[in-house]
Amino acid sequence: MERVGYSSPFVPAEWIRAHGFRPSRIPPSPSSADGFDIPRAGACPYARAFVQHVGEDETIRVAVMTTTCDQMRRMADVLARRVKMPVFLMHVPATWETREAGRFYKKELKRLGTFLADLGGRTPTETAIAQAARKYDDARSALRALAAVLPARRFAQALADFHERGAADCRLTPNSHHIKLSRLQGARHFEVFDWIEQAGGRVALNATESGERTLPAPLDRRRLNRDPLEALVEAYFGAIPDAFRRPDSRLHEWLQKEFAERAIRGVVFVQHTWCDLWRAAAPRIREWSGLPMATVEIGDGGELNGHSASRIQALLEAIR
């Protein structure tokens, strides 16, 4: 089964699986080499790293990228020009409140399906789509249950590993968390969990791009039986909060709910260098939450800013 590499949570893994491909959401870890010679100045390190990873990984046969940020849109052109693999750019509307936006997203999923079928995949029946969706939905439910069992860093790694390896390869049950971690175990940005714990804190909510925030909503099983594609539209486009969405009220509503339920007392705001979208969101989150906040920046090589540990330490001292 050929592997499809993608970056955005708005690409349903089960949709790719139903078309006969192995979905793999790539959590890029920058390498020292840069075979594509992409200028670093002004380029998001996350987007650059995704292109680099997909270009270097010989097991990835197809790349799917989205228009959820200008950097990824730009890197889709770079990847299409420099690698010998099919690259699909999926348009995800920034607006979400109208029916037309949902219909447009649904059309884009169908366009992605046609693209995959033309590459040798299959055109799935509604039964096949529903079967793949139920399998992923059950796996995500089991994965959420692990939040109460695993330490924060381990749970973050389990989430990222699930995205990369998929429901078929991660055996998850609420009472068992023997998860085989891949190269993610040594990823530098996971150090932030260690720093928080070393400073006397505990991560109660991981709302980063690879965390709980970007999991789709549980599927409506009755709608799944009637119209599986519409059920995917609701769970992904209709539910995932993000800073790129306009208005971005759903992001703040989700954060407010989770902050209240989990008794959040401080915020460590993790952002990538050159990510203007999330950089603009930080002041508003700080303002409405009224909570102490420390900003941690992931640099161009995937490393954390040298002042991050001291900022986290100061945040924890302010909370005590």
Side-chain angles (χ1 to χ4, degrees), residues 28 30 43-50 71 272-275 298-302:
C44 169
Y46 187 94
R48 291 180 69 256
F50 175 82
Q71 292 274 1
H272 290 268
T273 304
W274 303 108
C275 184
I298 300 178
D300 194 57

Side-chain angles (χ1 to χ4, degrees), residues 74 76-83:
R74 170 189 172 193
D77 293 334
V78 172
L79 187 61
R81 290 196 307 268
R82 304 193 186 188
V83 298

Side-chain angles (χ1 to χ4, degrees), residues 91-254:
H91 298 277
V92 180
T95 56
W96 55 272
E97 292 182 307
T98 66
R99 290 184 178 180
E100 183 56 36
R103 286 194 290 264
F104 182 85
Y105 175 81
K106 188 174 184 178
K107 289 178 182 177
E108 284 296 285
L109 288 183
K110 290 181 177 179
R111 189 169 69 89
L112 172 59
T114 300
F115 172 81
L116 294 173
D118 289 344
L119 292 176
R122 57 175 174 260
T123 300
T125 63
E126 289 196 346
T127 299
I129 298 169
Q131 287 177 341
R134 278 192 290 270
K135 185 169 187 176
Y136 269 86
D137 195 46
D138 289 343
R140 285 189 293 260
S141 178
L143 187 64
R144 287 185 178 95
L146 297 182
V149 177
L150 298 178
R153 173 168 178 160
R154 177 78 177 181
F155 181 55
Q157 290 172 318
L159 281 168
D161 195 59
F162 170 78
H163 292 318
E164 184 177 14
R165 299 173 65 230
D169 299 313
C170 289
R171 306 301 179 186
L172 304 169
T173 66
N175 299 320
S176 175
H177 49 86
H178 299 290
I179 301 165
K180 180 182 178 182
L181 297 179
S182 59
R183 61 184 175 79
L184 297 167
Q185 210 157 9
R188 292 288 305 279
H189 62 273
F190 285 121
E191 290 178 357
V192 69
F193 294 94
D194 299 331
W195 290 353
I196 292 172
E197 291 183 0
Q198 290 167 9
R202 181 178 67 86
V203 178
L205 173 65
N206 178 2
T208 64
E209 190 71 6
S210 60
E212 298 171 68
R213 175 180 59 81
T214 57
L215 287 172
L219 294 173
D220 183 329
R221 294 300 177 101
R222 287 181 296 181
R223 182 174 290 276
L224 184 63
N225 293 330
R226 296 195 306 267
D227 187 344
L229 182 54
E230 187 63 32
L232 291 179
V233 171
E234 288 184 356
Y236 282 83
F237 183 74
I240 298 176
D242 200 277
F244 94 96
R245 314 202 76 176
R246 293 294 177 267
D248 64 353
S249 54
R250 178 156 290 173
L251 169 64
H252 299 282
E253 290 168 0
W254 183 86

